[in-house]
Amino acid sequence: MKYKLFGFAVTLLLLLANITSASACFAGHYQPEVPESLRR
């Protein structure tokens, strides 16, 4: 029983982390300007 509860908690936390990171990346579409020194 303890292993099933632990597995459920891990799955739920991974899903939550995936949703929050995907929404943070999607919301801004932020792509910074590349400096001249790195363009070469």
Short mmCIF file of all heavy atoms in Angstrom, two decimals:
data_model
loop_
_atom_site.label_atom_id
_atom_site.label_comp_id
_atom_site.label_asym_id
_atom_site.label_seq_id
_atom_site.Cartn_x
_atom_site.Cartn_y
_atom_site.Cartn_z
N MET A 1 0.83 -1.20 0.00
CA MET A 1 0.00 0.00 0.00
C MET A 1 0.87 1.26 0.00
O MET A 1 0.55 2.23 -0.67
CB MET A 1 -0.91 -0.05 1.24
CG MET A 1 -1.80 1.14 1.38
SD MET A 1 -3.07 1.08 0.14
CE MET A 1 -3.97 2.53 0.51
N LYS A 2 1.96 1.21 0.77
CA LYS A 2 2.84 2.37 0.87
C LYS A 2 3.49 2.67 -0.48
O LYS A 2 3.62 3.83 -0.86
CB LYS A 2 3.91 2.10 1.94
CG LYS A 2 4.81 3.28 2.18
CD LYS A 2 5.67 3.16 3.42
CE LYS A 2 6.53 1.94 3.45
NZ LYS A 2 7.52 1.96 4.54
N TYR A 3 3.86 1.63 -1.23
CA TYR A 3 4.50 1.83 -2.53
C TYR A 3 3.53 2.40 -3.57
O TYR A 3 3.91 3.21 -4.40
CB TYR A 3 5.09 0.52 -3.05
CG TYR A 3 6.27 0.06 -2.22
CD1 TYR A 3 6.19 -1.08 -1.44
CD2 TYR A 3 7.46 0.79 -2.22
CE1 TYR A 3 7.26 -1.50 -0.68
CE2 TYR A 3 8.53 0.38 -1.46
CZ TYR A 3 8.44 -0.77 -0.69
OH TYR A 3 9.50 -1.17 0.06
N LYS A 4 2.28 1.98 -3.50
CA LYS A 4 1.28 2.53 -4.42
C LYS A 4 1.03 4.00 -4.15
O LYS A 4 0.92 4.81 -5.07
CB LYS A 4 -0.03 1.75 -4.30
CG LYS A 4 0.00 0.41 -4.96
CD LYS A 4 -1.37 -0.23 -4.94
CE LYS A 4 -1.34 -1.57 -5.62
NZ LYS A 4 -2.66 -2.18 -5.69
N LEU A 5 0.97 4.38 -2.88
CA LEU A 5 0.77 5.77 -2.51
C LEU A 5 1.97 6.62 -2.93
O LEU A 5 1.82 7.72 -3.45
CB LEU A 5 0.53 5.89 -1.00
CG LEU A 5 0.20 7.27 -0.48
CD1 LEU A 5 -1.07 7.79 -1.14
CD2 LEU A 5 0.04 7.24 1.03
N PHE A 6 3.17 6.09 -2.73
CA PHE A 6 4.38 6.80 -3.13
C PHE A 6 4.43 6.96 -4.65
O PHE A 6 4.75 8.03 -5.16
CB PHE A 6 5.61 6.03 -2.64
CG PHE A 6 6.91 6.71 -2.97
CD1 PHE A 6 7.28 7.88 -2.34
CD2 PHE A 6 7.74 6.18 -3.93
CE1 PHE A 6 8.47 8.51 -2.65
CE2 PHE A 6 8.93 6.80 -4.26
CZ PHE A 6 9.30 7.96 -3.61
N GLY A 7 4.09 5.93 -5.39
CA GLY A 7 4.06 6.00 -6.85
C GLY A 7 3.04 7.01 -7.35
O GLY A 7 3.30 7.75 -8.31
N PHE A 8 1.90 7.06 -6.71
CA PHE A 8 0.87 8.03 -7.08
C PHE A 8 1.34 9.45 -6.82
O PHE A 8 1.13 10.35 -7.64
CB PHE A 8 -0.43 7.75 -6.31
CG PHE A 8 -1.50 8.75 -6.57
CD1 PHE A 8 -2.17 8.75 -7.79
CD2 PHE A 8 -1.85 9.69 -5.62
CE1 PHE A 8 -3.17 9.68 -8.06
CE2 PHE A 8 -2.84 10.62 -5.86
CZ PHE A 8 -3.50 10.61 -7.09
N ALA A 9 1.99 9.66 -5.67
CA ALA A 9 2.49 11.00 -5.33
C ALA A 9 3.56 11.44 -6.33
O ALA A 9 3.57 12.60 -6.77
CB ALA A 9 3.04 11.00 -3.91
N VAL A 10 4.47 10.55 -6.70
CA VAL A 10 5.52 10.89 -7.66
C VAL A 10 4.90 11.22 -9.02
O VAL A 10 5.28 12.20 -9.66
CB VAL A 10 6.53 9.73 -7.78
CG1 VAL A 10 7.46 9.93 -8.95
CG2 VAL A 10 7.33 9.61 -6.49
N THR A 11 3.95 10.43 -9.45
CA THR A 11 3.30 10.68 -10.73
C THR A 11 2.57 12.02 -10.74
O THR A 11 2.66 12.80 -11.68
CB THR A 11 2.30 9.55 -11.04
OG1 THR A 11 2.99 8.30 -11.02
CG2 THR A 11 1.65 9.75 -12.39
N LEU A 12 1.88 12.31 -9.67
CA LEU A 12 1.15 13.57 -9.55
C LEU A 12 2.10 14.76 -9.55
O LEU A 12 1.86 15.76 -10.23
CB LEU A 12 0.30 13.56 -8.28
CG LEU A 12 -0.63 14.75 -8.10
CD1 LEU A 12 -1.68 14.77 -9.21
CD2 LEU A 12 -1.30 14.68 -6.75
N LEU A 13 3.21 14.67 -8.83
CA LEU A 13 4.18 15.76 -8.79
C LEU A 13 4.87 15.96 -10.14
O LEU A 13 5.13 17.09 -10.55
CB LEU A 13 5.21 15.52 -7.69
CG LEU A 13 4.67 15.67 -6.27
CD1 LEU A 13 5.72 15.25 -5.26
CD2 LEU A 13 4.22 17.09 -6.01
N LEU A 14 5.17 14.88 -10.84
CA LEU A 14 5.76 15.00 -12.17
C LEU A 14 4.79 15.66 -13.16
O LEU A 14 5.19 16.49 -13.97
CB LEU A 14 6.18 13.62 -12.71
CG LEU A 14 7.47 13.08 -12.16
CD1 LEU A 14 7.66 11.63 -12.61
CD2 LEU A 14 8.65 13.91 -12.60
N LEU A 15 3.54 15.30 -13.07
CA LEU A 15 2.52 15.92 -13.93
C LEU A 15 2.40 17.41 -13.62
O LEU A 15 2.35 18.23 -14.55
CB LEU A 15 1.18 15.22 -13.73
CG LEU A 15 0.02 15.76 -14.55
CD1 LEU A 15 0.25 15.51 -16.03
CD2 LEU A 15 -1.28 15.11 -14.12
N LEU A 16 2.38 17.75 -12.36
CA LEU A 16 2.28 19.15 -11.96
C LEU A 16 3.51 19.94 -12.44
O LEU A 16 3.38 21.06 -12.94
CB LEU A 16 2.13 19.25 -10.45
CG LEU A 16 1.97 20.63 -9.87
CD1 LEU A 16 0.67 21.24 -10.36
CD2 LEU A 16 1.97 20.56 -8.35
N ALA A 17 4.70 19.37 -12.30
CA ALA A 17 5.92 20.04 -12.75
C ALA A 17 5.91 20.23 -14.26
O ALA A 17 6.32 21.28 -14.77
CB ALA A 17 7.13 19.24 -12.31
N ASN A 18 5.43 19.24 -14.98
CA ASN A 18 5.37 19.34 -16.45
C ASN A 18 4.39 20.43 -16.89
O ASN A 18 4.68 21.20 -17.79
CB ASN A 18 4.96 17.98 -17.02
CG ASN A 18 5.12 17.93 -18.51
OD1 ASN A 18 5.76 18.78 -19.10
ND2 ASN A 18 4.54 16.92 -19.12
N ILE A 19 3.25 20.51 -16.24
CA ILE A 19 2.24 21.51 -16.60
C ILE A 19 2.75 22.91 -16.32
O ILE A 19 2.62 23.81 -17.15
CB ILE A 19 0.92 21.24 -15.85
CG1 ILE A 19 0.26 19.98 -16.41
CG2 ILE A 19 -0.02 22.42 -15.96
CD1 ILE A 19 -0.93 19.50 -15.61
N THR A 20 3.36 23.13 -15.16
CA THR A 20 3.82 24.47 -14.82
C THR A 20 4.99 24.91 -15.68
O THR A 20 5.07 26.06 -16.08
CB THR A 20 4.20 24.59 -13.33
OG1 THR A 20 4.94 23.43 -12.95
CG2 THR A 20 3.02 24.75 -12.46
N SER A 21 5.91 24.00 -16.00
CA SER A 21 7.04 24.40 -16.84
C SER A 21 6.58 24.66 -18.28
O SER A 21 7.08 25.58 -18.93
CB SER A 21 8.13 23.34 -16.81
OG SER A 21 7.68 22.15 -17.43
N ALA A 22 5.65 23.88 -18.76
CA ALA A 22 5.16 24.08 -20.13
C ALA A 22 4.39 25.39 -20.24
O ALA A 22 4.53 26.11 -21.23
CB ALA A 22 4.28 22.91 -20.55
N SER A 23 3.62 25.72 -19.23
CA SER A 23 2.85 26.96 -19.30
C SER A 23 3.76 28.17 -19.16
O SER A 23 3.50 29.21 -19.76
CB SER A 23 1.76 26.98 -18.23
OG SER A 23 2.35 27.04 -16.94
N ALA A 24 4.82 28.06 -18.39
CA ALA A 24 5.76 29.18 -18.23
C ALA A 24 6.51 29.43 -19.54
O ALA A 24 6.77 30.57 -19.90
CB ALA A 24 6.72 28.89 -17.10
N CYS A 25 6.87 28.39 -20.23
CA CYS A 25 7.60 28.54 -21.49
C CYS A 25 6.67 29.02 -22.61
O CYS A 25 7.07 29.77 -23.48
CB CYS A 25 8.23 27.22 -21.91
SG CYS A 25 9.51 26.66 -20.79
N PHE A 26 5.43 28.59 -22.57
CA PHE A 26 4.49 28.92 -23.64
C PHE A 26 4.00 30.36 -23.53
O PHE A 26 3.79 31.04 -24.54
CB PHE A 26 3.30 27.96 -23.60
CG PHE A 26 2.25 28.27 -24.62
CD1 PHE A 26 2.48 28.01 -25.95
CD2 PHE A 26 1.05 28.82 -24.24
CE1 PHE A 26 1.50 28.29 -26.90
CE2 PHE A 26 0.08 29.11 -25.18
CZ PHE A 26 0.31 28.84 -26.50
N ALA A 27 3.83 30.85 -22.30
CA ALA A 27 3.19 32.15 -22.09
C ALA A 27 4.00 33.30 -22.68
O ALA A 27 3.43 34.20 -23.29
CB ALA A 27 2.96 32.38 -20.61
N GLY A 28 5.30 33.29 -22.52
CA GLY A 28 6.08 34.45 -22.92
C GLY A 28 6.65 34.38 -24.32
O GLY A 28 6.83 35.40 -24.96
N HIS A 29 6.93 33.20 -24.81
CA HIS A 29 7.64 33.04 -26.08
C HIS A 29 8.90 33.89 -26.09
O HIS A 29 9.23 34.55 -27.07
CB HIS A 29 6.77 33.40 -27.28
CG HIS A 29 5.64 32.46 -27.49
ND1 HIS A 29 5.82 31.18 -27.93
CD2 HIS A 29 4.31 32.61 -27.33
CE1 HIS A 29 4.65 30.59 -28.03
NE2 HIS A 29 3.72 31.43 -27.66
N TYR A 30 9.60 33.89 -24.98
CA TYR A 30 10.76 34.77 -24.81
C TYR A 30 11.98 34.16 -25.49
O TYR A 30 12.36 33.03 -25.22
CB TYR A 30 11.05 34.98 -23.33
CG TYR A 30 12.27 35.82 -23.09
CD1 TYR A 30 12.27 37.17 -23.39
CD2 TYR A 30 13.42 35.26 -22.56
CE1 TYR A 30 13.37 37.95 -23.18
CE2 TYR A 30 14.54 36.03 -22.35
CZ TYR A 30 14.52 37.38 -22.65
OH TYR A 30 15.61 38.15 -22.45
N GLN A 31 12.58 34.91 -26.40
CA GLN A 31 13.82 34.49 -27.03
C GLN A 31 14.73 35.71 -27.08
O GLN A 31 14.48 36.64 -27.84
CB GLN A 31 13.57 33.96 -28.43
CG GLN A 31 14.83 33.39 -29.05
CD GLN A 31 14.51 32.58 -30.29
OE1 GLN A 31 13.35 32.39 -30.62
NE2 GLN A 31 15.53 32.12 -30.95
N PRO A 32 15.77 35.73 -26.24
CA PRO A 32 16.61 36.91 -26.15
C PRO A 32 17.44 37.12 -27.42
O PRO A 32 17.69 36.20 -28.19
CB PRO A 32 17.50 36.62 -24.96
CG PRO A 32 17.54 35.14 -24.87
CD PRO A 32 16.22 34.66 -25.36
N GLU A 33 17.87 38.34 -27.61
CA GLU A 33 18.74 38.70 -28.72
C GLU A 33 20.12 38.08 -28.50
O GLU A 33 20.66 38.15 -27.40
CB GLU A 33 18.86 40.21 -28.79
CG GLU A 33 19.66 40.73 -29.96
CD GLU A 33 18.81 40.95 -31.19
OE1 GLU A 33 17.59 41.06 -31.04
OE2 GLU A 33 19.40 41.00 -32.28
N VAL A 34 20.67 37.47 -29.52
CA VAL A 34 21.99 36.85 -29.41
C VAL A 34 23.05 37.93 -29.60
O VAL A 34 23.01 38.67 -30.59
CB VAL A 34 22.16 35.74 -30.48
CG1 VAL A 34 23.54 35.12 -30.39
CG2 VAL A 34 21.09 34.70 -30.32
N PRO A 35 24.01 38.03 -28.67
CA PRO A 35 25.06 39.04 -28.81
C PRO A 35 25.93 38.81 -30.04
O PRO A 35 26.07 37.67 -30.52
CB PRO A 35 25.90 38.87 -27.54
CG PRO A 35 25.03 38.12 -26.59
CD PRO A 35 24.11 37.31 -27.42
N GLU A 36 26.52 39.88 -30.56
CA GLU A 36 27.36 39.79 -31.75
C GLU A 36 28.53 38.83 -31.56
O GLU A 36 28.91 38.12 -32.47
CB GLU A 36 27.91 41.18 -32.10
CG GLU A 36 26.89 42.11 -32.72
CD GLU A 36 26.50 41.71 -34.13
OE1 GLU A 36 27.33 41.10 -34.84
OE2 GLU A 36 25.36 41.98 -34.51
N SER A 37 29.11 38.81 -30.37
CA SER A 37 30.27 37.96 -30.12
C SER A 37 29.94 36.47 -30.19
O SER A 37 30.81 35.65 -30.45
CB SER A 37 30.89 38.29 -28.77
OG SER A 37 29.94 38.05 -27.74
N LEU A 38 28.69 36.11 -29.99
CA LEU A 38 28.30 34.70 -30.04
C LEU A 38 27.75 34.29 -31.40
O LEU A 38 27.53 33.10 -31.63
CB LEU A 38 27.24 34.43 -28.97
CG LEU A 38 27.68 34.59 -27.53
CD1 LEU A 38 26.50 34.35 -26.60
CD2 LEU A 38 28.81 33.64 -27.21
N ARG A 39 27.52 35.20 -32.29
CA ARG A 39 26.94 34.88 -33.59
C ARG A 39 27.94 34.22 -34.54
O ARG A 39 27.56 33.60 -35.50
CB ARG A 39 26.37 36.13 -34.25
CG ARG A 39 25.13 36.61 -33.58
CD ARG A 39 24.52 37.76 -34.32
NE ARG A 39 23.46 38.35 -33.51
CZ ARG A 39 22.77 39.38 -33.87
NH1 ARG A 39 23.02 39.97 -35.03
NH2 ARG A 39 21.85 39.87 -33.08
N ARG A 40 29.21 34.38 -34.29
CA ARG A 40 30.24 33.84 -35.21
C ARG A 40 30.26 32.36 -35.25
O ARG A 40 30.08 31.58 -34.51
CB ARG A 40 31.60 34.34 -34.83
CG ARG A 40 31.69 35.81 -34.92
CD ARG A 40 33.07 36.24 -34.57
NE ARG A 40 32.98 37.54 -33.92
CZ ARG A 40 34.00 38.14 -33.37
NH1 ARG A 40 35.18 37.57 -33.37
NH2 ARG A 40 33.86 39.31 -32.83
#
